[in-house]
Amino acid sequence: MHILYFAHIRETLGLAEETINCNANTVGLLLAELSQRGALWKEMLEDNTRLQISVNQTLAKRNTRITDSDEIAFFPPVTGG
Amino acid sequence: MVSVQREDFNIQAEIDALVQGHRGIGAVVSFIGLVRDLHSGESLTNMTLEHYPGMTEKALVEIEAQARIRWELTGVTIIHRVGLLAPCEQIVLVVTASAHRQAAFESAAFIMDYLKSRAPFWKKETLSSGQAQWVDAKETDEQAICRWQNT
């Protein structure tokens, strides 16, 4: 699956995007797996109560189901306009 | 019409393009968002607009579609700029055209409220002190959506 990171999450983790093989079938499980990379990942992702999520460019939640061919993005609350 | 672009826009040209060739238009409403030159009293040097290519356009197309379901509109134009912008530059344009003013006014407000809360853009400000910071989303923006959810 293809994962994208935006704004201060991208800056803090030092990564704009990556492609991984993952067995997680929900966003929540994916967050748990990514958060195992370290404290900073856990803070930015799993423990981040303001985290916004999209799956295939549609807003999603932690219980949204995902598959290995999906594009998932993690970002802070939006500030356009 | 939806566009996410680096280039500046010309409001009169956009209004002309929206109105030309259409009959029955009695009202045109436009909103322009600008880069404010002050942040808590401190001068802004510049602002960077980051976005999620693909999802940004998709979100704006969906917002326009929702506006057209709620109101009878002859035309809608949404332009949002991205990249590096200077203070007082134009960021966003919303133009709505309708037979009567209520639909044009309300749909323009609806589009801006939803854009502020749902369209994946993020602003980073560089202040005159040299400090750079990501703009925080405001609770009032999320609350602005509420007034449309009971109508």
Side-chain angles (χ1 to χ4, degrees):
Chain A
M1 53 187 67
H2 195 55
I3 307 175
L4 302 165
Y5 306 94
F6 289 97
H8 86 85
I9 294 178
R10 173 183 53 76
E11 273 186 356
T12 306
L13 297 177
L15 188 61
E17 58 185 307
E18 60 178 324
T19 305
I20 63 167
N21 287 320
C22 182
N23 292 324
N25 63 359
T26 66
V27 170
L29 289 172
L30 174 63
L31 287 169
E33 195 163 317
L34 293 172
S35 298
Q36 280 172 18
R37 292 175 175 179
L40 202 55
W41 288 81
K42 197 167 193 305
E43 181 192 338
M44 287 289 115
L45 299 178
E46 195 177 23
D47 292 351
N48 182 355
T49 55
R50 302 187 81 203
L51 184 70
Q52 306 296 305
I53 303 153
S54 69
V55 175
N56 299 326
Q57 303 189 353
T58 301
L59 287 173
K61 296 185 195 286
R62 291 180 187 233
N63 60 6
T64 301
R65 299 194 76 84
I66 54 176
T67 68
D68 208 46
S69 59
D70 285 338
E71 174 173 297
I72 296 137
F74 298 118
F75 42 88
V78 302
T79 56
Chain B
M1 187 276 280
V2 156
S3 177
V4 177
Q5 61 191 52
R6 291 185 165 272
E7 302 77 15
D8 201 357
F9 49 81
N10 176 286
I11 179 172
Q12 195 56 56
E14 296 302 332
I15 290 172
D16 290 346
L18 195 63
V19 162
Q20 246 155 46
H22 291 281
R23 305 196 60 192
I25 296 177
V28 177
V29 167
S30 61
F31 171 82
I32 296 179
L34 305 173
V35 178
R36 263 193 303 273
D37 56 357
L38 287 177
H39 175 96
S40 301
E42 200 180 338
S43 291
L44 203 80
T45 302
N46 60 50
M47 170 180 286
T48 305
L49 256 303
E50 182 173 333
H51 75 298
Y52 180 170
M55 185 176 174
T56 325
E57 292 85 344
K58 192 174 171 195
L60 295 178
V61 164
E62 175 58 29
I63 291 168
E64 176 183 345
Q66 284 300 313
R68 285 178 178 272
I69 288 169
R70 286 171 175 253
W71 292 279
E72 190 113 14
L73 301 173
T74 315
V76 175
T77 294
I78 306 171
I79 300 177
H80 200 300
R81 294 178 67 198
V82 292
L84 190 66
L85 300 179
C88 307
E89 276 205 73
Q90 302 184 129
I91 305 172
V92 61
L93 172 70
V94 171
V95 186
T96 56
S98 185
H100 302 285
R101 70 185 186 284
Q102 186 179 358
F105 272 121
E106 288 181 357
S107 60
F110 170 91
I111 289 166
M112 272 312 299
D113 285 346
Y114 269 86
L115 185 158
K116 298 278 295 180
S117 301
R118 298 284 183 267
F121 297 97
W122 302 275
K123 290 175 176 162
K124 190 172 189 186
E125 293 175 331
T126 303
L127 303 176
S128 55
S129 61
Q131 189 196 344
Q133 61 195 23
W134 291 96
V135 171
D136 224 353
K138 294 205 216 52
E139 249 185 67
T140 44
D141 287 335
E142 187 57 38
Q143 284 160 8
I145 299 273
C146 295
R147 68 161 155 156
W148 303 109
Q149 283 168 349
N150 296 322
T151 58

